[in-house]
């Protein structure tokens, strides 16, 4: 599957089964089990509990922000913050119920 199909962070086609807790997840080898996310700040990257990750709206990468975490909750993605240059925040990866993911043209 290409990235985002189905919509899920770190979704790659190398492994069909999810990577277990503390399993190596670097180099796009697959996705972590539910409730875990790939921590790329350690070497090698491993699946860590999502509770240690940034919450929705929190900084996940910044060139100046000191209080940042390297991962987002499984439902979010680390995306550019439109209000702050060079800063990324954890934002919902999919449209919420009743919302449109894209603007449809007539």
């Amino acid at each position: 599957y290409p990235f985002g199909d189905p919509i899920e962070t770190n979704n790659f086609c190398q492994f069909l089964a999810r990577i277990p807790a503390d399993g190596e997840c670097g180099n796009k080898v697959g996705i972590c089990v539910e409730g875990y996310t790939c921590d790329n700040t350690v070497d090698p990257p491993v699946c860590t509990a999502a509770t240690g990750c940034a919450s929705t709206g929190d900084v996940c990468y910044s060139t100046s922000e000191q209080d940042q975490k390297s991962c987002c909750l499984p439902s979010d993605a680390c995306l550019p913050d439109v209000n702050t240059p060079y800063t990324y925040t954890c934002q919902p990866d999919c449209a919420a119920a009743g919302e449109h993911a894209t603007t449809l043209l007539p």
Side-chain angles (χ1 to χ4, degrees):
Y1 303 112
F3 179 76
D5 185 15
I7 305 291
E8 190 167 350
T9 56
N10 299 321
N11 190 12
F12 305 99
C13 61
Q14 286 84 347
F15 291 136
L16 295 178
R18 290 178 179 249
I19 301 168
D22 298 321
E24 289 188 29
C25 55
N27 300 318
K28 303 179 181 181
V29 296
I31 55 175
C32 299
V33 292
E34 190 69 35
Y36 285 74
T37 190
C38 192
D39 182 356
N40 290 300
T41 63
V42 296
D43 188 29
V46 293
C47 291
T48 58
T51 55
C53 296
S55 298
T56 303
D58 289 344
V59 175
C60 51
Y61 174 79
S62 174
T63 56
S64 60
E65 182 80 30
Q66 295 301 317
D67 186 23
Q68 58 183 303
K69 298 184 179 180
S70 63
C71 57
C72 296
L73 299 174
S75 59
D76 293 348
C78 191
L79 300 170
D81 186 333
V82 295
N83 299 314
T84 311
Y86 310 110
T87 300
Y88 289 68
T89 56
C90 293
Q91 302 170 35
D93 196 29
C94 296
E99 292 183 346
H100 296 285
T102 59
T103 303
L104 300 176
L105 299 174

